[in-house]
Amino acid sequence: MVVSLQVKLKTQLYQSRCEISLVTKSAGNGRFLLSSLLSAHGGGAMGGCCSNDRKAGRQSVGEVDHRAHRTDGGDGGGISNETADAVASLFNSRGQIALFSQIELSLSAHNLLNRDILSKSDPMAVLYVKRRNGNLEEIDRTEVLLNSLNPQWITKLSVTYQFEVVQPLVFRIYDIDSQFHKVSVKMLKLEDQQFLGEAYCTLSEIVSKRTRSLTMNIDHKESKGTNSQLTVHAEEHSNSRVTLEILFRCSDLINKDMFSKSDPFLVISKITDSGIVVPICKTEVIKNDLNPVWKPIVLNLQQLGYKDKPLIIECFDFNSNGKHDLIGKVEKSFEDLEKLYDSKHGENLFLPTSSGDSSVLKSNLYVDKLEERTRKTFLDYIENGCEMNFMVAIDFTASNGNPRLPDSLHYMDPSGRPNAYQRAILEVGYVLQFYDTDKKFPAWGFGARPIDGPVSHCFNLNGSTQHSEVDGIEGIMSAYSSALFNVSLAGPTLFAPVINAAAQIASQSLDQLKYFVLLIITDGVITDSQETINALVRASNMPLSVLIVGVGGADFKEMEVLDGDKEKLHSSTGQITSRDIVQFVPLGETQAQGGEISVIQSLLAELPEQLLSYMEKRDSTPVH
């Protein structure tokens, strides 16, 4: 699916206390390496809200609302209406939204500083999320434990997990003065308490461990030699496992178009406890149809909230300018939708009027399918030992331009500013690296002529003739910059060889809990379209997903076919893809808009569902 997020790209990526940034090793040879710069400030890319109100945005994905409050300023609100629309549509053309899981964190500490003279410290822990601008937003607090240097707090801290976003967390611990012991923890002023130290990590670091536990040192300028530690254990809320599949259709819709019929789609929103309307999913657009039947939407119970709370289901006529016309709406709870499904009757849509009343329409909304089931979640598989193995393939065709010239897509800027290839590697790799324990990543190039050799459409980026793996994201970046000076750019642009190489590796792990993710970064449309489709059809039976990023100003419309959102791919022998494994986004499209805008969230958003679709099929297949 091809949608641009209006989210500013941060070229600095944060891991625990570190900003991972690009620095030049030598401006003369253009080589780059990654270095870790210690910093307790700065923010990771957060996102996923579908509202201008940040609190409402958090509520829309199930995050704590009644206890969370901000103390350090925040970043000034949510995202724009245009961005919210992009976020809502990019996550899944079938109406699904990105993976959100409610996570409860249990905390314990060891060997805290003792701030009291006649007794021991009375500690309380506070959880913050670091926002994009570096400010900390308070999310939750534990209770106060009296006289304890080794506390095990009972209160669980709630936070929302998003796979496609690296979420930096900060835990601060305070000794609560005895005069405040009768004050509610929500009302405590932290500046009146004694600071015992802080610890840092990302949420991905915790949930990607099989134990879902992480122990960190607690930092404080006075704590040297005390070996204070904080242990965090994560549990996924049970509601994340309950999924609801709903198929909607409408009849006799009002025609909003002059020369054709309406292009309807549905937006489903929930009403929060504070009365704010928050979109939670949308269907695909059906062209030129007044009696549309949409593909099923899939929600988990956590996204829905309570079954008896009202949902607003709005039907819009799609307009390319973004100003969609409201055709009609209904307000029904999930329990009401169950009754509609059982009765097989329709519900009349209505339109609000200027007087505040509503006009009932002859148009009807039907629920043709409603199924509730419990399924394993993405994090269930991770806890059971499943790993996501990252692979990358880089386009070295001549259309990228001479790497030594500033107008080349492969140009290494002496200032350290990453080019589009580096940006894609960094952002995708930074998210996926947490789910790969050995962090040895196969890396290939294609469309170039290695020294003293013919043009290759799948060569090892590290120059080895034996193995393709490099060590970590830094290894990919180093191998990429070295390859630019050891190959001659050529062509044409062929994807099939690298897809087949990735599928071959994936095929060797069919009996293991492993899943592979191939990132292909390219500046042009492929010339082996049918061979690529054949490779993708074969690969759809493997534990593999293919992410394609288009860079530069080429016309990538033909690449959308590979995405498979509109229709399944057909091989030259008539076989079709067994499941959706491809995501395509054009990074060049965002560059043309005049800013560094990240689309990586859209690229990664469907990966958990693709992994689940493979694992569920694998688990249900009898062993012969």
Side-chain angles (χ1 to χ4, degrees):
M1 89 196 53
V2 186
V3 185
S4 297
L5 274 176
Q6 308 299 307
V7 180
K8 185 177 180 182
L9 168 69
K10 290 288 185 180
T11 57
Q12 292 177 323
L13 300 169
Y14 298 88
Q15 180 176 13
S16 302
R17 299 186 63 198
C18 299
E19 297 173 351
I20 301 178
S21 60
L22 284 170
V23 295
T24 54
K25 181 177 181 182
S26 169
N29 62 17
R31 293 181 57 136
F32 288 76
L33 54 85
L34 288 170
S35 67
S36 296
L37 306 177
L38 285 178
S39 173
H41 303 286
M46 307 297 292
C49 300
C50 293
S51 169
N52 277 340
D53 181 275
R54 180 167 50 194
K55 181 178 179 183
R58 289 201 308 272
Q59 290 171 335
S60 73
V61 295
E63 191 168 325
V64 62
D65 58 349
H66 60 284
R67 289 186 292 178
H69 53 288
R70 191 173 64 217
T71 60
D72 285 5
D75 59 5
I79 53 183
S80 68
N81 282 330
E82 292 82 6
T83 304
D85 191 53
V87 170
S89 60
L90 65 86
F91 283 138
N92 196 307
S93 66
R94 294 167 301 199
Q96 296 173 314
I97 64 174
L99 171 75
F100 295 105
S101 290
Q102 187 72 15
I103 302 295
E104 294 182 331
L105 303 178
S106 300
L107 308 185
S108 62
H110 172 71
N111 203 23
L112 292 178
L113 283 174
N114 190 9
R115 290 293 195 179
D116 295 345
I117 298 176
L118 302 178
S119 61
K120 297 177 181 178
S121 294
D122 305 319
M124 177 187 75
V126 184
L127 169 63
Y128 300 86
V129 168
K130 189 174 290 186
R131 293 304 183 191
R132 290 192 301 272
N133 65 355
N135 288 337
L136 298 181
E137 180 179 341
E138 183 179 330
I139 298 299
D140 217 345
R141 300 180 179 189
T142 67
E143 78 277 17
V144 179
L145 291 182
L146 303 183
N147 297 315
S148 179
L149 301 183
N150 300 285
Q152 290 184 311
W153 289 281
I154 302 299
T155 301
K156 298 180 187 298
L157 307 185
S158 296
V159 65
T160 299
Y161 165 71
Q162 286 179 255
F163 166 78
E164 72 276 11
V165 177
V166 176
Q167 298 162 273
L169 305 179
V170 178
F171 300 88
R172 289 181 175 172
I173 302 174
Y174 295 88
D175 176 22
I176 307 304
D177 194 278
S178 58
Q179 65 178 306
F180 300 109
H181 284 179
K182 293 185 178 180
V183 177
S184 167
V185 293
K186 292 182 289 185
M187 302 303 294
L188 288 172
K189 294 182 178 180
L190 299 180
E191 61 268 23
D192 295 335
Q193 317 306 323
Q194 290 186 307
F195 180 59
L196 299 181
E198 58 187 359
Y200 316 84
C201 69
T202 67
L203 187 54
S204 298
E205 286 180 278
I206 305 171
V207 300
S208 62
K209 294 187 177 299
R210 292 191 66 175
T211 60
R212 291 194 187 170
S213 293
L214 181 68
T215 298
M216 302 162 280
N217 291 328
I218 298 174
D219 293 335
H220 191 283
K221 61 182 180 181
E222 299 178 18
S223 64
K224 293 182 179 180
T226 61
N227 194 30
S228 298
Q229 291 184 317
L230 178 70
T231 297
V232 182
H233 177 72
E235 294 179 89
E236 189 174 16
H237 197 283
S238 59
N239 278 356
S240 298
R241 296 178 175 86
V242 180
T243 61
L244 309 167
E245 184 173 347
I246 312 173
L247 190 153
F248 289 108
R249 68 177 171 92
C250 280
S251 66
D252 298 320
L253 291 180
I254 296 174
N255 191 11
K256 294 286 186 176
D257 295 341
M258 184 176 297
F259 300 108
S260 63
K261 297 177 182 177
S262 295
D263 305 321
F265 66 97
L266 298 178
V267 175
I268 294 91
S269 306
K270 69 178 181 181
I271 303 174
T272 67
D273 292 337
S274 56
I276 297 173
V277 176
V278 178
I280 55 175
C281 73
K282 66 190 295 186
T283 67
E284 78 278 15
V285 176
I286 296 183
K287 295 289 187 179
N288 199 37
D289 197 336
L290 301 182
N291 297 284
V293 180
W294 291 277
K295 295 177 182 178
I297 61 169
V298 180
L299 299 170
N300 62 43
L301 191 56
Q302 175 184 297
Q303 294 160 354
L304 184 67
Y306 298 100
K307 288 187 176 182
D308 60 347
K309 290 295 181 69
L311 296 172
I312 299 176
I313 304 172
E314 298 170 294
C315 185
F316 289 93
D317 175 31
F318 176 85
N319 290 308
S320 58
N321 62 7
K323 297 179 180 179
H324 312 307
D325 296 319
L326 179 63
I327 297 175
K329 61 191 290 187
V330 298
E331 291 188 18
K332 292 288 180 182
S333 68
F334 180 78
E335 291 178 346
D336 295 331
L337 295 178
E338 287 181 311
K339 294 176 182 177
L340 273 183
Y341 172 66
D342 291 336
S343 70
K344 306 303 179 185
H345 293 157
E347 178 71 17
N348 289 99
L349 276 63
F350 68 87
L351 272 175
T353 63
S354 57
S355 63
D357 298 324
S358 59
S359 173
V360 178
L361 308 175
K362 68 175 183 178
S363 307
N364 277 271
L365 174 77
Y366 293 86
V367 179
D368 281 354
K369 180 179 180 180
L370 195 152
E371 183 177 302
E372 179 178 329
R373 63 190 178 101
T374 301
R375 70 190 303 209
K376 285 185 180 179
T377 67
F378 170 76
L379 291 179
D380 285 334
Y381 282 101
I382 298 300
E383 184 180 25
N384 289 333
C386 183
E387 293 196 3
M388 299 186 79
N389 302 94
F390 181 43
M391 309 169 171
V392 65
I394 298 174
D395 185 340
F396 284 86
T397 55
S399 54
N400 283 279
N402 187 339
R404 293 166 177 79
L405 300 179
D407 61 351
S408 170
L409 291 168
H410 284 306
Y411 180 65
M412 298 288 191
D413 194 326
S415 70
R417 178 188 177 91
N419 64 34
Y421 285 91
Q422 292 172 309
R423 288 167 54 199
I425 294 167
L426 283 169
E427 284 211 80
V428 175
Y430 184 52
V431 171
L432 295 180
Q433 66 176 338
F434 294 107
Y435 306 92
D436 190 334
T437 54
D438 67 7
K439 294 178 174 53
K440 291 187 178 297
F441 306 136
W444 300 290
F446 59 92
R449 189 188 310 276
I451 296 175
D452 300 326
V455 174
S456 174
H457 299 292
C458 185
F459 59 88
N460 296 333
L461 207 60
N462 58 15
S464 170
T465 58
Q466 303 297 323
H467 62 89
S468 60
E469 290 183 336
V470 298
D471 292 324
I473 306 303
E474 182 174 349
I476 297 176
M477 301 297 286
S478 178
Y480 165 55
S481 58
S482 295
L484 285 173
F485 298 91
N486 292 311
V487 302
S488 299
L489 305 192
T493 304
L494 308 180
F495 279 6
V498 293
I499 294 173
N500 287 331
Q504 174 61 29
I505 294 175
S507 69
Q508 298 170 5
S509 300
L510 295 178
D511 58 345
Q512 303 175 42
L513 273 176
K514 285 190 175 183
Y515 196 82
F516 297 82
V517 181
L518 171 63
L519 170 65
I520 301 176
I521 316 169
T522 182
D523 82 317
V525 178
I526 56 176
T527 55
D528 64 338
S529 178
Q530 189 57 60
E531 290 82 0
T532 294
I533 290 174
N534 292 345
L536 290 172
V537 170
R538 290 191 297 269
S540 67
N541 294 307
M542 305 294 172
L544 176 67
S545 285
V546 180
L547 309 179
I548 304 173
V549 173
V551 298
D555 183 356
F556 291 108
K557 288 183 179 179
E558 292 182 28
M559 302 286 281
E560 296 178 39
V561 176
L562 301 181
D563 202 304
D565 278 340
K566 294 181 179 179
E567 61 179 294
K568 291 187 175 184
L569 302 179
H570 289 71
S571 74
S572 54
T573 59
Q575 294 178 304
I576 62 173
T577 48
S578 61
R579 60 191 183 90
D580 178 21
I581 67 168
V582 181
Q583 278 292 97
F584 168 70
V585 292
L587 200 61
E589 178 181 305
T590 65
Q591 292 173 323
Q593 295 175 8
E596 291 183 315
I597 303 168
S598 174
V599 295
I600 298 304
Q601 276 183 252
S602 67
L603 191 69
L604 294 171
E606 288 190 29
L607 266 183
E609 185 61 36
Q610 290 179 359
L611 181 147
L612 284 172
S613 70
Y614 173 80
M615 291 299 173
E616 288 173 349
K617 181 180 178 182
R618 171 184 180 270
D619 292 346
S620 63
T621 301
V623 179
H624 296 287

